[in-house]
Amino acid sequence: MKASNESVLTQPLQLPCGVVLKNRIAKSAMSDSLGNGRGAPTDAQIRLYERWAEGGVALSIIGEVQGTPHYAEKPGNLVLNAHSEPEVFKALARAGSINNTQLWLQLGHAGALADAPFSNPKGPSALDLPGLKCGALSVSEIQALPEEFARTAVLAKQFGFGGVEIHAAHGFLLSQFLSPLFNKRTDAYGGRLENRMRLMLEIIDNVRHAVGPDFPVGIKLNATDQLEGGLRQDEALAVVDALDSTGVDLIDISGGTYFPGAPSSSDRSGSGPYFLDFAERARAKTDKPLMVTGGFKTLQQVKAAIKEGKADLVGLARALVVDPGLPKKWKTGGTPEPQFPRFDNPPEGGVTAWYTTQITQFANGETALSSSDLSDAIIAYEERDQQRRGIWRKHFGG
């Protein structure tokens, strides 16, 4: 679907369910680490999504919202289930949906990558690797997941969120099932790709049935795991082909994994978007709207992706951390490019720590960090995680 040349960024996008996104820029899901350690939003998190909505995005996605506290990827994740406090979630939904913004929850389950200090990581298969040890989910545990995702999606709808995105990327649980590197099962959920995508498709069907036809349901999918022995691009294209006959409204294309020691795609060097070539190939497999996330740094890159029909929607993450008002500035002809920090030989995870700490700074209305603050940001990030792990264990047990 090529957007018209005129006002390429501001042209609305209608999803298959009928919901209309006001423009072509989305704030893609990030783990903002601003939950209170008991699975609930904080005032800072509410302000954060309000600021992004004020900044002009059409869609904003809250990263890694868990259906249970057992497999979270960070102690700042939100947990949405029957034990959650409705009013604080409703406050977050209201704040993040001002200015005609769609605010979605990303439905997550970290699986093998669950934060071990306060959980018991389990994935498709038992693994014992350097930096990664987990058990295997039983068949009954797997079969319970579609209903768990559906319950969380129903609560998202009831509490006023605009939609949900099912997380099947970045090495978390559904990505693990798709990947032959993580998934060594020999039953109906392992082996050939048809089996490895079975759980993902079951979850989509359950979520769609639970929320009805008019509520947006997206999915985030890896173009590649960027790991030897992981999901290949030809397999990912086959997954896109299968998604075309499901009830999803948006396929969010990303890549990479948080496998210990593997480079994050968001930390890659380079001046251009990472997954547009894959998106162009995916276009031949589906009529679903495509969102592409990763590596967009300039207005020209965003406009070209949409104008050329490779993406219907562009997902920005770190660009909106350094400048939360970027979409509005682009629309009005203001300063066109975000200014990214430059780091010399940052440690593994250090850049993520800097950006996550920067999120907290602007959520609280505090002074922006500079690249020289990297060491302090890493310390603050790790100290906050450690503190909230203690809160999590005390509140949820374990």
Side-chain angles (χ1 to χ4, degrees):
M1 290 184 249
K2 288 189 180 183
S4 64
N5 292 343
E6 184 178 357
S7 303
V8 67
L9 295 186
T10 58
Q11 182 174 329
L13 175 66
Q14 182 170 330
L15 302 179
C17 65
V19 167
V20 177
L21 302 180
K22 67 180 182 181
N23 63 46
R24 302 304 182 97
I25 301 176
K27 197 289 293 181
S28 57
M30 291 181 283
S31 185
D32 58 56
S33 293
L34 283 175
N36 65 3
R38 298 183 293 275
T42 58
D43 290 343
Q45 194 170 34
I46 292 170
R47 289 193 300 270
L48 170 68
Y49 285 90
E50 184 174 43
R51 286 198 65 187
W52 272 323
E54 290 171 344
V57 294
L59 170 64
S60 191
I61 306 174
I62 301 175
E64 278 293 295
V65 179
Q66 309 291 320
T68 77
H70 305 306
Y71 300 101
E73 57 96 24
K74 283 288 183 181
N77 285 170
L78 300 183
V79 179
L80 181 56
N81 57 29
H83 304 290
S84 301
E85 304 170 35
E87 292 310 313
V88 69
F89 277 91
K90 289 178 181 179
L92 175 59
R94 286 193 300 270
S97 60
I98 64 169
N99 198 23
N100 194 27
T101 305
Q102 278 278 310
L103 181 63
W104 294 6
L105 299 184
Q106 184 185 66
L107 308 184
H109 185 306
L113 299 185
D115 195 355
F118 65 85
S119 66
N120 181 25
K122 286 186 180 182
S125 305
L127 297 173
D128 190 358
L129 302 169
L132 179 62
K133 185 175 183 179
C134 72
L137 291 166
S138 68
V139 171
S140 62
E141 287 174 321
I142 294 169
Q143 292 175 339
L145 288 170
E147 180 63 25
E148 177 186 308
F149 274 74
R151 286 195 299 268
T152 307
V154 167
L155 287 173
K157 182 178 180 180
Q158 290 176 352
F159 291 171
F161 294 93
V164 294
E165 179 183 77
I166 297 165
H167 198 354
H170 296 171
F172 296 120
L173 183 70
L174 297 185
S175 176
Q176 292 161 24
F177 269 91
L178 292 172
S179 172
L181 184 65
F182 283 89
N183 188 346
K184 308 294 185 183
R185 300 182 74 94
T186 57
D187 59 13
Y189 293 96
R192 58 185 180 177
L193 182 60
E194 178 184 353
N195 288 345
R196 284 184 274 132
M197 73 171 84
R198 186 183 306 277
L199 177 59
M200 178 194 72
L201 296 176
E202 290 175 347
I203 287 173
I204 291 170
D205 286 346
N206 274 258
V207 168
R208 173 52 73 200
H209 179 75
V211 299
D214 304 324
F215 188 72
V217 176
I219 188 159
K220 191 166 196 174
L221 179 70
N222 268 4
T224 169
D225 291 345
Q226 297 175 339
L227 292 172
E228 185 176 349
L231 185 73
R232 305 188 311 269
Q233 285 205 12
D234 62 327
E235 290 184 317
L237 287 168
V239 175
V240 171
D241 190 42
L243 290 171
D244 189 59
S245 59
T246 69
V248 298
D249 295 292
L250 183 68
I251 301 174
D252 180 3
I253 295 169
S254 187
T257 177
Y258 292 103
F259 193 89
S264 168
S265 62
S266 56
D267 288 343
R268 290 167 56 176
S269 60
S271 58
Y274 308 141
F275 307 114
L276 278 179
D277 289 345
F278 176 86
E280 188 173 22
R281 297 174 67 194
R283 178 67 74 199
K285 300 289 186 180
T286 184
D287 291 325
K288 303 286 187 183
L290 298 180
M291 172 174 160
V292 182
T293 297
F296 288 94
K297 294 179 170 65
T298 69
L299 174 60
Q300 184 57 40
Q301 290 169 350
V302 173
K303 290 174 69 174
I306 299 168
K307 184 177 177 180
E308 294 168 8
K310 296 178 181 178
D312 299 300
L313 193 66
V314 167
L316 302 179
R318 291 180 173 179
L320 294 175
V321 175
V322 297
D323 191 347
L326 191 62
K328 187 178 291 185
K329 292 178 181 178
W330 278 347
K331 180 180 177 181
T332 59
T335 303
E337 314 302 359
Q339 300 299 308
F340 295 93
R342 296 178 180 273
F343 304 105
D344 294 325
N345 300 315
E348 181 180 341
V351 177
T352 295
W354 187 94
Y355 275 95
T356 307
T357 305
Q358 176 59 37
I359 286 174
T360 305
Q361 293 289 111
F362 85 70
N364 289 328
E366 297 171 351
T367 305
L369 301 176
S370 69
S371 56
S372 63
D373 294 318
L374 178 62
S375 295
D376 289 341
I378 293 171
I379 293 170
Y381 176 77
E382 292 176 346
E383 286 181 346
R384 182 172 61 181
D385 269 3
Q386 189 62 28
Q387 178 189 35
R388 287 185 173 167
R389 286 187 184 107
I391 296 171
W392 191 286
R393 285 192 294 266
K394 183 176 180 180
H395 183 72
F396 292 115

